[in-house]
Every structure is written in structure tokens, then in C-alpha cells.
Amino acid sequence: MATVRVDGLTVAYDRVGAGPPVVFLHGAGDDARIWRPQLQALADAFTVVAWDEPGAGRSSDVPGSFVLADYARCVAAVVASLGLGPAHVAGLSWGGTVALEFYRHHPDLVRTLILADTYAGWKGSLPAAEVRARVKGARRMPAAPRGAFDPTLPGLYADGPPAAYAALLAAMADAVRPATLGRQLSLMAETDQRDLLPTVAVPTLLLWGEQDVRSPLTVARQFHEAIPDAELVVIPGAGHVSNLERPEEFNRAVRRFCSDRS
């Protein structure tokens, strides 16, 4: 584990391997451990980094005033601390929204973008009625009494949680901080990054689970149409957490894309 200090916060991250840097940003309710299959598979060719964002894992609690630009500033500190120049930046779900905001503020630190099962914010990707329903659920979850808090979002998997990662998923769920999840989901509901997508000027890979119901393929196609020269890869049999449900296919796409652009 390595750490970097940003405005008084400690941001922790895992770093393995050597070569061009690939930085993975996790989704809401997760931490760096969600990227374990990627760290194990890609370290032979890349410097693979998975962060615990503020409020998750081994990092400091997230301040209540945090906005997307603050997360982006923390990602910038991690990338700069590597000393390897611009990075391939990959984000899953909420992590993809953070990756986009990082690109908005720090394009000089981004070699490529890999956006997996993500959103341009809920407001920027989903129908208004769906956003309202998610906001209602998002307000209930962190407010649940102690012992009743369940951070599991509905519709994450195509065919239930992968058995191979059951213990990992349980451990991450036990570690979720209600205040963190509330902040993540609140920001997702407020965010609309559609203005940013046409301005993306780095190679971009869109990785989507074919059976993703949280960020369906209609969202992937919006990204594909809006981001110049973006490449869309659909992973059969995967839902929203495609990196765990189909890790071999996910890793193969990331390896090819990054190798061709390193």
C-alpha cells in the first residue's frame, strides 16, 4: 500500500507491476479490492494502481463538502505520485464519472480513458423518472439504523454475485461507510457531464456488460456517439460489475487497448 496526502486527507492506493501506469477508480460502495482480478492479471505489463477514494477503504473520511472536482484533485495527486507521466485512467460506474471529471480538470495527466458501465452522472445519462427513483433509494440507504444498513444497490449483476468473489464482496460491503455512500449517490444524482463528452480528445474505450440494467447499453451508445472516435466493447453475459463477472474478457480488452496506446 502507498499513500498520498491531499489537503489534509490521506489517500491510499495499491500499486503492483511495472510499465505504463493504469489507474483504476472503483464504484460507489466499493474500494480498491474490487480491482483485485485486474491487479493480478495486468501487472506483468503495466504499473497497475487501484485507489481507495476518500471515504473508502484505508483512506480518510470524505468531507461532507466534497464535490467531484475534489475527487479529481485527489486522483491527480495519486497519478503525480507515481512519477510515470500521464496514465491510462479506468473507472467503473461512479468511478467512471470521477474519471471524466478528472479529465475535465487534469487532461495533461490522462493518456487514455477506460469507462466501464458508467454514467455522465445520473442526471446526464438516465431518464428523469429513473433519477428520481434512485434519489429516493439513495436517501433511504445511508439513513438506515445501525445494523440495518445495506449498501448493496439493486441490479448489479447479470446472474447474482460471482461465487468466486463472494467473500471479497461481503468484506467490502461490511466496510462501506454510510456517509461516503450518501455523498457518492448524491453527487451522481446531481451530475450532468454531457457537455464534457464531445471534448474528450484522448483515446477512449467503453467497456459495457451486455446485461447491465443499472447503466444499460442505451447509455453506452450515448457515450459512443458523443465521444469522438470512442471504441465500444460489449462483454457478453456481464452485468454492471463487468470486471468481476467476466474478468478475463475485461482484462483482455484493457490489455489490448492500453498496449496499443502506450
Side-chain angles (χ1 to χ4, degrees):
M1 184 189 76
T3 62
V4 63
R5 295 283 291 177
V6 187
D7 297 337
L9 302 178
T10 297
V11 180
Y13 60 91
D14 294 321
R15 174 179 177 171
V16 297
V22 184
V23 176
F24 287 100
L25 310 179
H26 58 78
D30 298 329
D31 57 46
R33 290 173 288 179
I34 197 78
W35 297 111
R36 190 169 293 171
Q38 285 64 55
L39 270 70
Q40 293 171 346
L42 300 172
D44 63 318
F46 303 98
T47 299
V48 189
V49 172
W51 86 331
D52 287 328
E53 71 173 44
R58 301 150 297 182
S59 294
S60 298
D61 285 337
V62 62
S65 60
F66 239 46
V67 295
L68 268 176
D70 296 313
Y71 286 99
R73 188 170 64 256
C74 292
V75 179
V78 169
V79 173
S81 74
L82 303 176
L84 297 172
H88 303 285
V89 180
L92 175 73
S93 189
W94 151 259
T97 304
V98 174
L100 280 168
E101 198 67 17
F102 173 54
Y103 177 80
R104 183 195 297 274
H105 294 281
H106 305 278
D108 56 311
L109 294 178
V110 180
R111 186 188 302 257
T112 70
L113 284 171
I114 301 165
L115 305 174
D117 299 283
T118 191
Y119 315 89
W122 287 349
K123 186 177 180 181
S125 294
L126 301 174
E130 175 66 15
V131 175
R132 288 193 295 271
R134 292 193 184 194
V135 168
K136 186 176 180 180
R139 288 173 177 163
R140 283 198 307 265
M141 291 173 67
R146 189 173 182 85
F149 172 62
D150 181 0
T152 306
L153 297 168
L156 290 178
Y157 307 101
D159 191 26
Y165 299 107
L168 172 65
L169 292 168
M172 285 195 298
D174 286 343
V176 172
R177 306 173 208 176
T180 296
L181 187 62
R183 192 69 195 139
Q184 291 167 328
L185 299 182
S186 175
L187 286 173
M188 283 290 278
E190 300 166 0
T191 296
D192 183 346
Q193 296 169 319
R194 284 177 289 184
D195 67 307
L196 176 60
L197 301 184
T199 73
V200 173
V202 296
T204 300
L205 174 64
L206 309 173
L207 270 177
W208 241 263
E210 181 185 33
Q211 298 180 45
D212 189 345
V213 296
R214 289 201 62 82
S215 180
L217 283 176
T218 52
V219 177
R221 295 187 184 103
Q222 292 169 10
F223 273 77
H224 196 210
E225 292 175 3
I227 298 177
D229 300 319
E231 175 186 352
L232 173 61
V233 173
V234 178
I235 302 177
H240 191 61
V241 192
S242 55
N243 72 302
L244 285 189
E245 293 179 272
R246 293 292 185 271
E248 291 185 2
E249 293 91 333
F250 188 99
N251 294 343
R252 185 161 53 245
V254 171
R255 179 185 293 273
R256 174 193 56 78
F257 181 78
C258 294
S259 295
D260 290 347
R261 294 159 179 86
S262 294

